[in-house]
Amino acid sequence: MNEKVHVVNHPLLSHKLTILRDKDTSTKDFREIVSEIGMLLTYEATRDLPLTTKEIETPICKMEAPTLKGKKFAVVPILRAGLGLVDGVLRMVPSARVGHLGMYRNEETMEPVQYFCKMPRDVAERDVLIVDPMLATGGSANAAIDIIKGYGCKNIKLMVLVAAPKGIEVVTAKHPDVDIYCGAVDQGLNENSYIVPGLGDAGDRIFGTK
Ligand code: PRP
Ligand code: URA
């Protein structure tokens, strides 16, 4: 596997992903668990955040203690389904700014169609974490990365719950500088470009629209 692809193997994550995959999981549980997995994936995706130290005093003595260097960070969900992951990221990195990128797949061509974009004013200076539960054909992720690079962003990561080998191949080929964090790499895509076994339509399951 490409060194830019990080499959996060953790028993808690695997267990929660199984609940998501189950077609009988309720909308409420699905939404809550997407958020929880968002937290667990963020833990890995932020592993390289730089630290500095500051002097504090414990009840016992003074010490130079590690603290985040305060690097500027933004999370960018691909609407709609990416919204389900934002809360988990913000619980881990409360100071992050949020940019929104509206995009849906045209159901015939599978090409992404952009309908909204609102980024933080200073997004070019920020490390950006693009979030979306599903990386299927890779069309939406590639378009999102193109747009974020268009703002001048240099350090971009992509975080997804489930990826298809095709999506990984397509994104790593076009954007070899982007690290991809995912909870699982599945077998492939079906004739409708849904991930197999996958978890179905993530947006519909998060928002209860089916
Ligand atoms: C889904 C998913 C991704 C995209 C992945 O969004 O959330 O954005 O499809 O597919 P791709 O890798 O083949 O581009 P969808 O178009 O269903 O929109 P939604 O989030 O509004 O439901
Ligand atoms: N979008 C989804 O929501 N699910 C898939 O399996 C593929 C794209």
Side-chain angles (χ1 to χ4, degrees), residues 89-191:
V89 177
L90 291 177
R91 276 197 272 170
M92 293 286 100
V93 192
S95 63
R97 298 292 195 267
V98 184
H100 291 86
L101 200 46
M103 220 176 257
Y104 66 89
R105 293 199 309 183
N106 175 309
E107 283 179 12
E108 263 124 50
T109 64
M110 292 302 152
E111 290 298 314
V113 181
Q114 188 190 332
Y115 59 88
F116 186 74
C117 185
K118 180 79 181 174
M119 291 297 138
R121 184 185 35 80
D122 58 353
V123 71
E125 298 158 32
R126 294 181 178 271
D127 289 355
V128 174
L129 183 64
I130 299 172
V131 298
D132 191 327
M134 311 308 277
L135 176 60
T137 65
S140 307
N142 263 354
I145 297 167
D146 284 340
I147 292 165
I148 301 298
K149 283 188 174 173
Y151 280 88
C153 300
K154 297 280 182 290
N155 189 357
I156 301 169
K157 291 177 177 175
L158 173 67
M159 187 174 104
V160 301
L161 299 185
V162 181
K166 171 81 178 168
I168 290 178
E169 185 190 314
V170 163
V171 173
T172 52
K174 187 162 191 211
H175 298 290
D177 55 310
V178 172
D179 284 273
I180 302 174
Y181 293 84
C182 61
V185 179
D186 276 10
Q187 283 158 29
L189 299 173
N190 68 10
E191 61 284 5

Side-chain angles (χ1 to χ4, degrees), residues 8 11-22 33 37 161-162 182-186 198-199:
V8 180
L12 287 177
L13 201 153
S14 303
H15 177 84
K16 289 176 191 294
L17 204 45
T18 297
I19 301 173
L20 290 189
R21 290 183 188 281
D22 188 334
I33 292 167
I37 298 181
L161 299 185
V162 181
C182 61
V185 179
D186 276 10
L199 47 79

Side-chain angles (χ1 to χ4, degrees), residues 51-100:
L51 287 171
T52 182
T53 57
K54 68 174 183 183
E55 189 181 281
I56 58 161
E57 202 166 346
T58 76
I60 310 298
C61 66
K62 286 186 176 172
M63 76 173 284
E64 279 293 317
T67 180
L68 284 174
K69 215 168 183 173
K71 210 161 189 320
K72 290 183 166 187
F73 190 81
V75 54
V76 176
I78 303 179
L79 311 185
R80 292 174 300 166
L83 285 174
L85 289 161
V86 173
D87 170 58
V89 177
L90 291 177
R91 276 197 272 170
M92 293 286 100
V93 192
S95 63
R97 298 292 195 267
V98 184
H100 291 86

Side-chain angles (χ1 to χ4, degrees), residues 105 134 136 193-195 200-203:
R105 293 199 309 183
M134 311 308 277
S193 293
Y194 275 83
I195 300 177
D201 189 304

